[in-house]
């Protein structure tokens, strides 16, 4: 029986909270557990595509062409550490192009359908806004993971995200919800860092992952080499955090049971 992929959107309208870093490194860690993984770049800034060494300036077709019906996902996939559906700067025009389309909120959901059986996980990296691209991701997704920088001001933006998600649930995709909150850039040595995580737990309970992604320069270094931290520094802390997150995700309701998962997790 062919299974269809679990689609997970990484969303937070705040920039710099590690959406892109998490999309890539969670994806590579899930792949190492035996999963087939596609990562979709829905940000016109193309950080995900660039972080896998894809030349976005020379890109002829990307997610803009997929969302506007000029290409299929299969046409544009680049096989890197994981499969990547890249985006170039022209994706900035998608908000306007989509606005004129019938079924504009479902363009991504439709586009992913033909590749759904080819993957176990499809991870959607979204831009720092709650516009049409992020709404498309929420409509296509089975669940949303929200990376949150462990700072008071970052926590406040979550109310807006939840409001948008409620609207999507009421109108477009009744099943989608936040499946996990991921504390990122966590510094457990500071009271502020610990208090920020406490506030997350007060608000989201066991939806806060037990994994905390700490701060390290490795995350900035790896993309320069076109690599995930898992390949760039396999024995480092950063790789360990994302492997732990992958095990949490795989074991959660949004996870997929995989033949290879227990073998690799035990390694
Ligand atoms: P977003 O996609 O939410 O805008 P990014 O994943 O691009 O965020 O991360 C923003 C910046 O922070 C990048 O330069 C990235 O390398 C860096 N970064 C991400 N995660 C961490 C971390 N845990 N510690 C330190 N720097 C990080
Ligand atoms: Mg990003």
């Amino acid at each position: 029986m062919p299974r269809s992929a679990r689609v997970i959107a990484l969303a937070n309208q705040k920039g710099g909270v590690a959406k892109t870093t998490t999309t890539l490194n969670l994806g590579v860690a899930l792949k190492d557990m035996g999963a087939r993984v596609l990562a979709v770049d829905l940000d016109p800034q193309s950080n995900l595509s660039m972080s896998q060494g894809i030349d976005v300036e020379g890109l002829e077709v990307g997610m803009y062409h997929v969302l506007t019906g000029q290409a299929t996902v299969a046409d544009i996939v680049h096989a890197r550490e994981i499969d990547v559906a890249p985006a170039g700067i022209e994706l900035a025009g998608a908000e306007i192009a989509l606005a004129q389309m019938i079924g504009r909120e479902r363009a991504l959901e439709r586009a992913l359908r033909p590749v759904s059986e080819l993957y176990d996980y499809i991870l959607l990296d979204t831009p720092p806004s709650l516009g049409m691209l992020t709404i498309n991701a929420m409509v296509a997704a089975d669940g949303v993971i929200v990376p949150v920088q462990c700072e008071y001001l970052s926590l406040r933006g979550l109310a807006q995200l939840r409001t948008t998600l409620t609207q999507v649930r009421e109108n477009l995709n009744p099943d989608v919800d936040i499946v996990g909150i991921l504390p990122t850039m966590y510094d457990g040595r500071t009271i502020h860092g610990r208090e920020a995580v406490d506030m997350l737990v007060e608000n989201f309970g066991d939806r806060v992952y037990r994994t905390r992604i700490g701060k390290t320069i490795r995350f900035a270094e790896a993309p320069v080499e076109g690599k995930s931290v898992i390949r760039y520094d396999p024995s480092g802390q950063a790789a360990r955090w994302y492997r732990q997150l992958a095990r949490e995700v795989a074991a959660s309701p949004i996870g997929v049971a995989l033949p290879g998962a227990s073998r690799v997790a035990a390694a």
Side-chain angles (χ1 to χ4, degrees):
M1 245 288 275
R3 322 174 274 240
S4 46
R6 297 295 165 87
V7 181
I8 304 177
L10 286 290
N12 186 334
Q13 76 277 17
K14 193 171 180 329
V17 298
K19 289 181 290 297
T20 302
T21 302
T22 300
T23 305
L24 176 61
N25 289 288
L26 172 61
V28 174
L30 288 168
K31 180 175 177 175
D32 286 349
M33 292 171 70
R36 302 165 300 167
V37 180
L38 170 68
V40 178
D41 195 347
L42 289 172
D43 186 347
Q45 295 180 68
S46 314
N47 291 346
L48 174 70
S49 308
M50 291 189 292
S51 70
Q52 282 287 275
I54 296 169
D55 168 23
V56 295
E57 263 102 59
L59 204 65
E60 277 174 22
V61 284
M63 282 308 297
Y64 175 82
H65 305 89
V66 170
L67 292 171
T68 54
Q70 303 171 68
T72 67
V73 171
D75 290 335
I76 69 159
V77 163
H78 289 232
R80 291 295 199 263
E81 290 176 47
I82 50 178
D83 282 5
V84 177
I89 185 65
E90 70 281 352
L91 187 59
E95 300 274 346
I96 289 169
L98 285 168
Q100 295 161 5
M101 281 169 52
I102 292 176
R104 59 194 174 183
E105 293 100 346
R106 297 198 183 275
L108 179 64
E109 182 189 40
R110 275 195 307 273
L112 291 178
R113 233 172 266 151
V115 295
S116 178
E117 286 173 8
L118 302 179
Y119 298 102
D120 297 302
Y121 293 97
I122 299 178
L123 305 180
L124 310 174
D125 184 27
T126 64
S129 79
L130 294 169
M132 198 46 69
L133 288 164
T134 300
I135 289 172
N136 261 269
M138 289 174 170
V139 171
D142 297 305
V144 178
I145 293 177
V146 186
V148 184
Q149 199 176 340
C150 297
E151 284 178 6
Y152 175 66
L153 285 175
S154 304
L155 309 187
R156 300 195 42 158
L158 294 181
Q160 214 183 337
L161 177 79
R162 284 175 115 173
T163 303
T164 303
L165 202 49
T166 302
Q167 287 165 358
V168 168
R169 219 173 13 248
E170 285 170 354
N171 296 288
L172 297 156
N173 179 5
D175 301 325
V176 73
D177 203 351
I178 294 176
V179 293
I181 302 276
L182 177 67
T184 65
M185 303 179 204
Y186 176 67
D187 185 349
R189 294 168 305 181
T190 66
I191 292 172
H192 185 78
R194 291 196 302 272
E195 281 180 352
V197 170
D198 288 346
M199 273 176 67
L200 283 176
V201 173
E202 267 166 41
N203 281 282
F204 293 94
D206 59 13
R207 282 190 289 179
V208 180
Y209 289 117
R210 272 168 299 163
T211 305
R212 278 110 183 73
I213 308 294
K215 262 190 209 162
T216 149
I217 192 68
R218 294 284 176 265
F219 287 110
E221 291 170 357
V224 180
E225 308 244 313
K227 289 179 178 168
S228 66
V229 289
I230 295 176
R231 294 286 177 273
Y232 176 73
D233 184 18
S235 56
Q237 262 184 327
R240 232 174 11 250
W241 292 324
Y242 275 103
R243 280 193 213 105
Q244 186 188 337
L245 175 67
R247 286 194 295 270
E248 272 199 82
V249 169
S252 72
I254 198 86
V256 186
L258 292 168
S262 54
R263 179 166 42 82
V264 180

